[in-house]
Amino acid sequence: MHNAYWLLNVRLETGHEVESGAVTGTKTGLFRLRIKDGKITAIANMSDAGDADGLPQLDARGLLALPPFIEKHCHLDKTLLGDRWRPVRPAASLFERFEIEARTLPTLRTTMKERAENLLELLLRAGSTHIRTHVDLYPGAGLRHLEAVQEALASFEGKLTSEIVAFPQHGLLRTQSMGIVREALRGGCGLVGGVDPHTVDGDMEKSLQTMMELAVEANADVDLHLHDGGRIGLDTIRRLAQLADEAGWQGRVSVSHAFALADMQGEEAEETAQLLANSGIAIITSVPLGRAIPPVPFLHDCGVHVAVGCDNIFDSWSPFGNGDVLERAGRLAERFGRKTEQELAEALGFITGGVTPLDKDGQPVWPKLGDEASFVFAEASCSAETVARRAKRPAVMHRGTIVAGALERTSL
């Protein structure tokens, strides 16, 4: 792609259609955007006469432009994509599942780098241009998983951005993985992970404190996998919030899964949501089927940042998953009965870091001058339709360059 060019016939949302005080649709228009050095330097209506400056032109053909997606929870090192089909083997416990996976991965005919690249390609085609991946660290594996994932990510340089969580899957304390986590943080990981401090590590307080100490020592963020429900899970979340506040780590901590939040009732729900919002703790859900999940609309309304990720994608834990985070956003909307134009459009924010084309009052807020020229181009009339219908995405642009698909379509 040229250093500077015009992107023509880009469909952007311009406001709400309102009838009797209710939002009944979304207005859009066709625009031309001047792109230079990967950023938007001019935005104009297609109907406005203007000088093309003799620059090259790329035609978006009326496709809807949406903010790029963020895959907030995946495991590039675990996937079996590219290898032969194999069903998930039964496991009597979480710990047996750890062992099955640890035995399986080294025996595959494909390399971890190859499989990770297959997953990255899948994620990119679906619209995700930022990836947060957890990488397993335990004594038997050392840093091998991290090295393979870093090599895979390097092959996608310029196409997406990423962050890596140093993840002691088998237990931070249980496998005495503190030293390996420290090495990983020095070797490129920007976050510290953990898993079920009570159930896996057997000592909630010591596990959380050790995780936070590692984070502060390395100036790293935190992303805790928490499957424990009920009182144990809620106590874990509340204690993590206290530790984050004590360390000054507000806005730098996430809890993935957080199933215990589905068990909140009455005043406890209000208090816990306020605690999360005040501490800036984000909740990340993969919207799994068959079990209760955090009350996303309630948390969002309370000011808690919520994000969606795909989690396991064809690995030793699950045979399912297609790497399409938009499909997960649509599933979330269905689970919570989010059907109106505004509710569906709001669901898009759970996979874009909170960025939506229109604010709650229907005012255009994205894209604007100076923004990165990063878009997901969808065959849809608006954000709401994109989420509800899981619209096709013919092209993905990252910093001014098409990185997946092409700007070609037949008709909407």
Side-chain angles (χ1 to χ4, degrees):
M1 184 57 63
H2 294 272
N3 182 50
Y5 65 95
W6 282 97
L7 182 61
L8 307 180
N9 293 307
V10 181
R11 186 170 301 280
L12 298 176
E13 297 181 2
T14 58
H16 287 156
E17 294 176 355
V18 180
E19 207 172 287
S20 301
V23 176
T24 58
T26 302
K27 300 175 184 177
T28 66
L30 293 178
F31 293 81
R32 56 193 183 99
L33 281 59
R34 188 175 187 272
I35 311 299
K36 183 178 181 182
D37 297 329
K39 294 191 174 183
I40 302 169
T41 59
I43 303 175
N45 287 303
M46 281 298 298
S47 58
D48 293 344
D51 186 1
D53 305 327
L55 294 176
Q57 299 178 354
L58 184 63
D59 196 344
R61 302 177 183 271
L63 289 167
L64 178 70
L66 296 169
F69 301 161
I70 297 172
E71 169 50 71
K72 205 66 172 179
H73 184 133
C74 71
H75 296 266
L76 293 177
D77 59 331
K78 293 179 180 293
T79 187
L80 306 177
L81 286 172
D83 210 275
R84 70 171 178 83
W85 162 256
R86 62 189 70 222
V88 171
R89 291 176 56 186
S93 68
L94 187 66
F95 303 108
E96 185 178 351
R97 179 66 63 205
F98 295 158
E99 295 307 315
I100 289 173
E101 180 178 57
R103 290 196 305 268
T104 299
L105 293 180
T107 68
L108 302 180
R109 60 178 178 81
T110 51
T111 67
M112 186 172 288
K113 175 179 179 289
E114 291 170 338
R115 299 190 299 275
E117 288 174 338
N118 287 332
L119 179 48
L120 284 167
E121 186 62 39
L122 200 64
L123 295 169
L124 189 61
R125 288 202 307 267
S128 293
T129 58
H130 183 80
I131 313 295
R132 175 181 288 188
T133 180
H134 302 260
V135 173
D136 283 8
L137 301 167
Y138 54 92
L143 298 178
R144 292 197 305 273
H145 290 218
L146 173 59
E147 292 162 356
V149 166
Q150 287 176 321
E151 289 175 7
L153 288 168
S155 70
F156 279 75
E157 186 175 358
K159 295 184 177 182
L160 52 79
T161 55
S162 62
E163 52 188 336
I164 304 176
V165 184
F167 183 48
Q169 169 74 85
H170 299 189
L172 181 62
L173 304 182
R174 179 174 173 267
T175 57
Q176 293 296 301
S177 294
M178 290 78 79
I180 299 172
V181 170
R182 281 195 178 91
E183 287 185 60
L185 291 168
R186 289 194 293 264
C189 290
L191 296 93
V192 179
V195 58
D196 294 338
H198 173 84
T199 298
V200 174
D201 272 340
D203 188 332
M204 183 261 280
E205 180 66 22
K206 184 177 180 181
S207 180
L208 288 177
Q209 287 204 17
T210 303
M211 183 180 65
M212 285 301 305
E213 287 167 4
L214 287 167
V216 172
E217 177 185 306
N219 192 25
D221 290 358
V222 171
D223 191 337
L224 172 69
H225 279 53
L226 184 62
H227 309 90
D228 288 335
R231 180 49 48 199
I232 291 172
L234 290 171
D235 285 348
T236 302
I237 290 171
R238 297 181 73 87
R239 181 57 180 145
L240 177 59
Q242 292 172 350
L243 291 171
D245 288 344
E246 291 170 8
W249 243 238
Q250 294 90 343
R252 302 187 63 176
V253 175
S254 303
V255 181
S256 290
H257 306 304
F259 296 128
L261 294 177
D263 300 323
M264 299 185 298
Q265 293 182 352
E267 292 184 3
E268 182 178 47
E270 299 281 352
E271 293 171 359
T272 302
Q274 196 59 55
L275 179 67
L276 293 170
N278 292 343
S279 299
I281 293 181
I283 301 300
I284 302 171
T285 178
S286 62
V287 200
L289 300 174
R291 70 173 300 168
I293 66 172
V296 172
F298 168 74
L299 293 172
H300 178 73
D301 290 344
C302 290
V304 179
H305 179 72
V306 179
V308 170
C310 288
D311 198 7
N312 301 97
I313 300 168
F314 181 34
D315 55 20
S316 296
W317 297 72
S318 171
F320 307 114
N322 58 8
D324 188 351
V325 75
L326 176 63
E327 187 275 331
R328 298 296 173 115
R331 183 194 294 182
L332 185 147
E334 286 191 79
R335 286 200 65 167
F336 290 102
R338 313 291 282 181
K339 300 177 182 179
T340 69
E341 187 87 353
Q342 282 182 288
E343 289 171 341
L344 287 166
E346 184 180 87
L348 183 72
F350 296 129
I351 60 171
T352 63
V355 179
T356 53
L358 304 177
D359 64 18
K360 60 182 177 61
D361 297 318
Q363 297 301 308
V365 292
W366 177 95
K368 59 184 182 296
L369 294 181
D371 282 353
E372 284 188 354
S374 297
F375 309 102
V376 177
F377 293 97
E379 292 183 357
S381 63
C382 60
S383 296
E385 182 184 6
T386 302
V387 173
R389 305 306 307 157
R390 281 73 154 177
K392 292 181 180 178
R393 284 137 277 163
V396 179
M397 178 177 285
H398 180 61
R399 296 175 178 173
T401 300
I402 298 296
V403 292
L407 283 178
E408 298 175 358
R409 66 173 179 82
T410 52
S411 62
L412 292 181

